[in-house]
Amino acid sequence: MTYGSHIVNKQSYYKERFKEANTRLQQYPSLQSVFGSLSWQSDKTLQENPIILQLSRERRRGDDVAWLSTVEDAIDSATSKLSSSDIQDLHSELCSPDGNKVMSRVTELVCYQYFSSQGPSVMPEPSLSVNRNTDLRVDDTCPVYIEITRLGTAKTERAIEDVYQSAAEEISKQLPRNKYLRLDINTTELDWSGSPLDKKGSKWEILNQVQRTHLLKLLQHRDALRLRDIQSMPSDWTLQKIIEDAVKFGTHGTFGQNWNGILNKPQFSRPLQTQAKEFEGPIVSALMGDAKSGLVELHSEMHSPSSAATHQEERFLRRVREHKLEDKIKKAQREPSEANLLMISATHWLARGYTESNDQPLGRGQQEKIKDEIQETLKQYSIPELVGVIMMEDGPSKSLWIENPNADSNLVNDYKGTHIYQHMS
């Protein structure tokens, strides 16, 4: 999910998060050996480190983050099999301020622990006969060499996040310090005249819509507002007419509920004269609530079918193919004449449901597209030792197996006799 935010009092906010993380870290001795004692003053560059943020979340909300305990167990087990230099590299990457780098290592540790829990011996960072290393070797009924990679944040999504963060900072100047504001954005309404988009123009589209609709004032009366409902009205209707019509005829969704109280209040006279066409723009819904410190968040809308969803789907499939599958094929981190797997962690809201569970209906529609994209790419290469690709969400337990149509049939049969295959198919 693509989002950006601005915290009014960052120092106070992150001091509290570090304090929470430091307390929770005492429950994870292996992670504590990696991070030591956390301090905002000395470790402030780590304020976006996903492990620290999740430790804080556990302490604050009282519910466990599953992958933290998995990573804890994996560090405890794997370090006895690693060289001192590999251990140093592991610690360095887990302590990185780069969230993508941290989560790539976390993904490898989650995979290591998953396969270890199935019974076979698992070796991290095994050497290959071709003078390279791969991520794991699982000594199952036959040795299986596994290369693991993670699809990070795309250039387009990073550009959108920059727009959101910049817009959030501007909006926060108009927001009371004890309020939280969330805006959901239809990304197709941003300014796409640049490459990949015009950041300045996109920010202007968001800020201008906030101003011309008097959005923050309207949220003083109603803490949630679906702008899409207004956008669907005749363009020349004023907000007052929309509300009056809704109250009279009981139509237009939420606009018949508690909105008539706004009609006779002088402070809302200008917003009430705003026409529906002024509400058109990238913001499709808004929510305001109380908070300890002022916070503004902008999130990309997750709605399908929609043009935004179609564009996101296209970008997702293209990045899986070009940036991960083809890149890893060319790097050739594989053991010849043995079964090799490529595991790609690529979580996307449209692609969830790799396990075909009934509660993830969007994922089922994506599976065939993902399979077709990967198999068509594999057909272009002769890689008999690569038995297949595993697409996964948060870890191997939620995965999709895609067989390489050009793989050595004997190696495929050997792999299908392993515990790995039986547990993941």
Side-chain angles (χ1 to χ4, degrees):
M1 180 177 63
T2 306
Y3 78 99
S5 64
H6 178 72
I7 300 163
V8 175
N9 191 340
K10 279 192 174 183
Q11 181 168 323
S12 173
Y13 177 86
Y14 282 111
K15 273 187 176 180
E16 188 65 25
R17 300 292 82 77
F18 270 65
K19 182 179 178 181
E20 292 166 347
N22 212 28
T23 301
R24 189 60 181 163
L25 200 56
Q26 296 173 24
Q27 307 301 315
Y28 297 98
S30 293
L31 279 171
Q32 193 169 37
S33 71
V34 174
F35 287 95
S37 180
L38 293 169
S39 164
W40 161 252
Q41 294 300 328
S42 58
D43 299 314
K44 62 179 64 176
T45 59
L46 301 182
Q47 65 184 30
E48 300 298 336
N49 182 290
I51 295 175
I52 292 176
L53 292 177
Q54 292 303 314
L55 285 166
S56 167
R57 179 179 180 274
E58 277 198 345
R59 173 66 178 173
R60 187 167 65 257
R61 300 187 181 181
D63 56 346
D64 292 341
V65 177
W67 62 258
L68 281 177
S69 58
T70 302
V71 168
E72 168 74 13
D73 294 341
I75 293 172
D76 183 48
S77 171
T79 49
S80 63
K81 304 175 183 180
L82 293 171
S83 67
S84 57
S85 61
D86 285 338
I87 293 173
Q88 187 175 357
D89 288 342
L90 173 64
H91 286 203
S92 174
E93 291 182 3
L94 291 176
C95 290
S96 171
D98 183 339
N100 281 328
K101 184 178 289 186
V102 174
M103 291 310 298
S104 290
R105 270 303 203 173
V106 164
T107 300
E108 292 174 13
L109 290 168
V110 167
C111 291
Y112 169 87
Q113 192 61 23
Y114 175 85
F115 294 126
S116 294
S117 69
Q118 307 303 327
S121 173
V122 182
M123 175 59 67
E125 305 290 337
S127 298
L128 303 173
S129 61
V130 290
N131 295 321
R132 292 184 179 90
N133 288 75
T134 192
D135 291 313
L136 300 175
R137 186 189 73 231
V138 181
D139 294 322
D140 208 311
T141 53
C142 69
V144 180
Y145 292 81
I146 303 174
E147 179 65 16
I148 303 164
T149 187
R150 179 177 177 272
L151 193 68
T153 306
K155 181 180 178 181
T156 301
E157 271 66 39
R158 287 198 298 270
I160 294 172
E161 288 175 356
D162 290 343
V163 170
Y164 289 174
Q165 189 159 341
S166 181
E169 184 173 1
E170 287 296 319
I171 296 170
S172 70
K173 297 173 184 177
Q174 309 169 48
L175 195 70
R177 295 179 69 88
N178 63 341
K179 290 294 182 180
Y180 162 76
L181 175 68
R182 170 175 172 146
L183 302 177
D184 289 330
I185 307 295
N186 175 3
T187 55
T188 59
E189 294 295 325
L190 297 176
D191 185 344
W192 292 95
S193 62
S195 179
L197 86 164
D198 187 307
K199 293 183 182 180
K200 185 176 180 180
S202 295
K203 176 183 173 182
W204 183 88
E205 293 285 352
I206 294 169
L207 297 180
N208 188 260
Q209 188 181 6
V210 170
Q211 294 301 318
R212 68 176 184 263
T213 60
H214 308 276
L215 182 59
L216 299 184
K217 181 173 283 293
L218 288 172
L219 288 169
Q220 294 174 17
H221 174 77
R222 189 72 177 269
D223 57 11
L225 182 61
R226 281 176 52 87
L227 279 75
R228 180 179 279 111
D229 290 344
I230 306 174
Q231 293 164 356
S232 66
M233 295 295 103
S235 62
D236 60 345
W237 279 27
T238 64
L239 181 59
Q240 180 165 341
K241 179 172 176 56
I242 293 171
I243 295 172
E244 288 174 342
D245 194 69
V247 171
K248 183 177 180 179
F249 297 106
T251 55
H252 315 321
T254 61
F255 285 96
Q257 303 171 17
N258 303 324
W259 272 101
N260 54 333
I262 200 176
L263 297 176
N264 298 318
K265 293 182 179 180
Q267 65 268 37
F268 293 108
S269 58
R270 287 188 63 195
L272 286 169
Q273 297 311 307
T274 308
Q275 293 183 325
K277 63 184 177 183
E278 299 297 335
F279 284 87
E280 295 176 1
I283 305 171
V284 293
S285 66
L287 172 70
M288 183 182 285
D290 296 327
K292 290 183 178 180
S293 178
L295 173 63
V296 179
E297 290 185 349
L298 279 72
H299 295 253
S300 289
E301 177 193 31
M302 295 192 296
H303 174 70
S304 180
S306 68
S307 56
T310 299
H311 291 157
Q312 290 179 47
E313 174 188 271
E314 291 170 353
R315 292 199 300 267
F316 173 74
L317 293 173
R318 184 170 62 250
R319 291 182 64 235
V320 168
R321 182 185 73 247
E322 295 176 357
H323 295 278
K324 288 304 171 187
L325 182 56
E326 292 182 342
D327 179 65
K328 285 297 181 181
I329 287 174
K330 292 170 183 175
K331 286 184 177 178
Q333 292 169 280
R334 298 179 295 275
E335 181 63 24
S337 303
E338 299 284 4
N340 289 259
L341 282 176
L342 173 60
M343 300 187 69
I344 303 175
S345 175
T347 302
H348 189 276
W349 71 275
L350 283 166
R352 283 202 174 276
Y354 291 150
T355 52
E356 301 189 32
S357 57
N358 291 329
D359 60 343
Q360 300 288 359
L362 286 174
R364 290 197 297 275
Q366 294 292 307
Q367 288 185 16
E368 292 307 314
K369 293 180 183 179
I370 292 170
K371 284 183 177 179
D372 290 345
E373 191 79 27
I374 290 177
Q375 287 192 324
E376 286 302 313
T377 303
L378 291 172
K379 286 178 182 177
Q380 301 172 31
Y381 297 87
S382 176
I383 324 167
E385 70 275 13
L386 181 64
V387 294
V389 174
I390 292 177
M391 293 288 293
M392 57 183 174
E393 291 182 22
D394 308 316
S397 61
K398 299 177 182 178
S399 58
L400 174 68
W401 157 250
I402 304 158
E403 186 173 324
N404 178 10
N406 290 337
D408 183 316
S409 59
N410 291 324
L411 291 178
V412 172
N413 289 334
D414 289 345
Y415 170 68
K416 288 184 175 179
T418 64
H419 293 91
I420 295 175
Y421 180 80
Q422 293 166 16
H423 279 99
M424 297 181 67
S425 61

